[in-house]
Amino acid sequence: MRASRLMALLFVLQRRRAATAGQLAAELEVSERTIYRDVAALIEVGVPVWTEPGPGGGIRLVDGWRTRLDGLTGSEAAAMLAMGAPQVLAELGMSSALVAAQAKVLATLPEGLREHARVVSERVLLDAPGWFHAPAEVTQLATLAQGVWEQRRARIHYARGYRDPTTVERLVAPLGLVLKAGVWYVVAGVELSGRDGDIRTYRASRIRHAELEQETFARPDDFDLGPWWAGSAARFAASMLREKVTVRLSARGLRALPHAVDPDAATAAIARAGPPDVDGWRELTVDVESVAVAAGQLTGLGGEVEALDPPELRTALASAGRALAERNAPR
């Protein structure tokens, strides 16, 4: 993308102050002709670049001038402006901070690159929640986010479940926040015997009250939120998908499988599936939560699925099919 290349050239000049076209072309891996075109483009958008011929000459920035966006490329600036997630940031208490940051980015970019960044922000939007999903009310997220930033312990009152009105009190060390499919989670160390000995995940909407303590905590040196969450999510999925079922699926059923069962389990099963038979059907084994749950999920595939194992799955699908046929028989 040309905007990225122009920003790269600008920062190379800022670092080196002066260089020949050949040196710049080698560093940016472009031709010298491209360098001269890009220098002209920078001049056109108001960057004070000038060229000096001769043995001691080269391409220079005017002495004393520098952009205030050190290291930020055109694409990176555009990415900041494309972070259109006002609801997410409002829940974190950071919406005004993003507005201020975006304003500073726009104010410091040269006009040509400013327009590029603005175009991206107008055409890319992040909408985190899924379809037909009303986000749960999260009242304590801003407090917990403050605990994450300031590394302060929090005393929380956590509901045991949606149908269980009782709460438990926990003193936790909030390590990070995760937004998964429109749902906020708090990853926190739990105090055990005077130390944060266990890291657990709390659904933020079930935290009825949170109050920050004055006491701070030290983040574990080996804790990295991204890998930890990925491992935790994988372990949770494995604990939920405890059983296996074997089925035959038509081509249409195969395409619909990710919409009927867990998408990751469906993808893995399809990758391991046997070759199509003479009718185009394929046999595959799918990880499921239980046979009863699988029966309910696979019923939606109708005549595009045949249960092979276990036998109770075949019986459940046959029973569901008969009930459906009887209920919808012509009157």
Side-chain angles (χ1 to χ4, degrees):
M1 186 180 294
R2 192 180 186 215
S4 298
R5 196 178 68 240
L6 290 177
M7 291 301 291
L9 174 59
L10 176 58
F11 290 123
V12 169
L13 286 173
Q14 184 168 289
R15 171 170 52 84
R16 301 182 62 155
R17 303 312 302 175
T20 66
Q23 290 170 332
L24 294 171
E27 183 160 347
L28 298 176
E29 298 181 344
V30 296
S31 67
E32 290 188 26
R33 178 177 297 180
T34 297
I35 291 295
Y36 284 119
R37 284 201 304 265
D38 288 350
V39 166
L42 288 176
I43 293 172
E44 187 175 340
V45 298
V47 178
V49 182
W50 59 286
T51 60
E52 184 178 2
I59 300 170
R60 304 172 181 269
L61 280 172
V62 169
D63 288 342
W65 186 92
R66 64 187 293 112
T67 174
R68 286 170 287 169
L69 292 175
D70 291 0
L72 195 65
T73 69
S75 292
E76 290 167 345
M80 289 182 63
L81 295 170
M83 289 173 56
Q87 180 61 38
V88 172
L89 291 164
E91 290 172 347
L92 288 173
M94 296 178 63
S95 53
S96 60
L98 179 66
V99 171
Q102 291 177 337
K104 290 177 182 178
V105 169
L106 285 174
T108 51
L109 281 174
E111 179 58 36
L113 300 181
R114 186 186 313 164
E115 182 60 26
H116 164 71
R118 184 180 288 111
V119 166
V120 172
S121 70
E122 291 172 350
R123 302 183 187 187
V124 179
L125 175 68
L126 173 62
D127 185 10
W131 288 104
F132 314 115
H133 171 71
E137 185 179 6
V138 183
T139 60
Q140 305 299 310
L141 193 62
T143 299
L144 293 162
Q146 183 181 354
V148 172
W149 313 142
E150 299 177 3
Q151 294 183 212
R152 290 169 58 187
R153 297 187 188 279
R155 193 170 297 278
I156 65 172
H157 292 84
Y158 189 70
R160 294 180 182 276
Y162 290 108
R163 294 183 176 87
D164 187 347
T166 61
T167 61
V168 293
E169 183 178 303
R170 293 284 187 270
L171 181 62
V172 301
L175 298 171
L177 301 169
V178 176
L179 180 63
K180 172 72 172 179
V183 178
W184 280 105
Y185 296 91
V186 182
V187 177
V190 182
E191 187 174 271
L192 299 174
S193 303
R195 62 185 181 85
D196 298 317
D198 193 17
I199 297 177
R200 299 181 182 177
T201 301
Y202 298 90
R203 189 163 178 145
S205 61
R206 288 165 59 180
I207 298 177
R208 303 296 185 234
H209 180 71
E211 184 175 345
L212 295 183
E213 304 281 307
Q214 291 302 316
E215 180 189 7
T216 60
F217 63 88
R219 291 176 65 85
D221 292 336
D222 58 350
F223 177 77
D224 189 331
L225 181 60
W228 185 91
W229 177 262
S232 176
R235 289 189 296 272
F236 175 74
S239 70
M240 291 294 293
L241 305 177
R242 298 182 297 270
E243 299 188 33
K244 297 180 182 294
V245 298
T246 302
V247 296
R248 287 180 69 241
L249 290 171
S250 67
R252 179 180 296 178
L254 205 68
R255 291 193 297 271
L257 185 64
H259 304 287
V261 301
D262 179 83
D264 292 335
T267 300
I270 292 170
R272 299 190 302 261
D277 60 20
V278 293
D279 298 319
W281 287 54
R282 298 176 68 184
E283 181 178 320
L284 61 161
T285 299
V286 188
D287 294 323
V288 297
E289 185 175 344
S290 69
V291 172
V293 170
Q297 294 171 327
L298 296 173
T299 297
L301 300 182
E304 309 302 324
V305 59
E306 178 188 359
L308 300 179
D309 190 65
E312 55 264 36
L313 175 61
R314 190 177 184 93
T315 300
L317 289 184
S319 177
R322 284 193 298 270
L324 187 63
E326 291 171 3
R327 177 67 64 182
N328 292 277
R331 294 179 177 177

